[in-house]
Amino acid sequence: MNNTPSKQLVTGLFEDFFNGHDISAADRYLHPDYIQHDYDVPPGVEGFKKYFTHVFEIFPDFQVEIRHLIEEEDMIVMHGYGKTDPGKIEVLVVDTYRVKDGLLYEHWGTVQPLPPEQFGNPAIL
């Protein structure tokens, strides 16, 4: 995987924030004027941090495994698998980010639940 600065931003956000549950990491990766297009995540950096603080409390083993990063100009797409229980893949995740001023500026996300017969079975995926 070519490790461009934009890919490093996304990888860092997922390693530190989503997988490390380090809420303060959002300040290192998200632009101060961060725009959130997900309907359930409140706007801005503070809304993002508040929402995921709650998610991490409910799902203390929450993790996202990055499988693909695709970059074109100022846009980068992450495709991966979400887990709330160790080793149990439960959702497919696609996040699209726009980069501005060296930070993640804008986000669109899609989460697709997997049927129970596919949970934890990457061979089916």
Side-chain angles (χ1 to χ4, degrees):
M1 186 179 322
N2 185 359
N3 213 7
T4 67
S6 293
K7 288 181 179 180
Q8 290 174 356
L9 277 174
V10 172
T11 300
L13 178 70
F14 277 83
E15 287 177 1
D16 298 343
F17 184 87
F18 289 111
N19 295 342
H21 299 192
D22 177 3
I23 296 298
S24 69
D27 297 319
R28 294 192 302 274
Y29 299 104
L30 303 182
H31 194 281
D33 298 323
Y34 180 71
I35 300 169
Q36 177 64 263
H37 293 285
D38 284 5
Y39 70 92
D40 56 344
V41 180
V45 176
E46 292 307 312
F48 180 85
K49 292 184 336 186
K50 182 178 179 180
Y51 178 85
F52 281 101
T53 295
H54 184 67
V55 168
F56 298 154
E57 288 170 357
I58 295 171
F59 301 109
D61 294 316
F62 180 91
Q63 300 278 293
V64 177
E65 176 188 344
I66 294 175
R67 297 300 295 227
H68 304 98
L69 290 174
I70 303 162
E71 182 177 7
E72 185 173 321
E73 297 178 13
D74 66 345
M75 304 293 286
I76 186 160
V77 177
M78 186 286 303
H79 164 259
Y81 302 135
K83 306 170 189 178
T84 56
D85 292 323
K88 185 178 178 182
I89 296 170
E90 296 171 319
V91 294
L92 297 176
V93 180
V94 177
D95 286 316
T96 303
Y97 296 93
R98 184 160 65 100
V99 177
K100 180 179 176 183
D101 303 326
L103 294 169
L104 300 172
Y105 177 70
E106 197 165 4
H107 171 261
W108 299 262
T110 302
V111 175
Q112 176 183 335
L114 294 174
E117 64 271 13
Q118 288 184 342
F119 281 8
N121 188 355
I124 293 176
L125 305 173

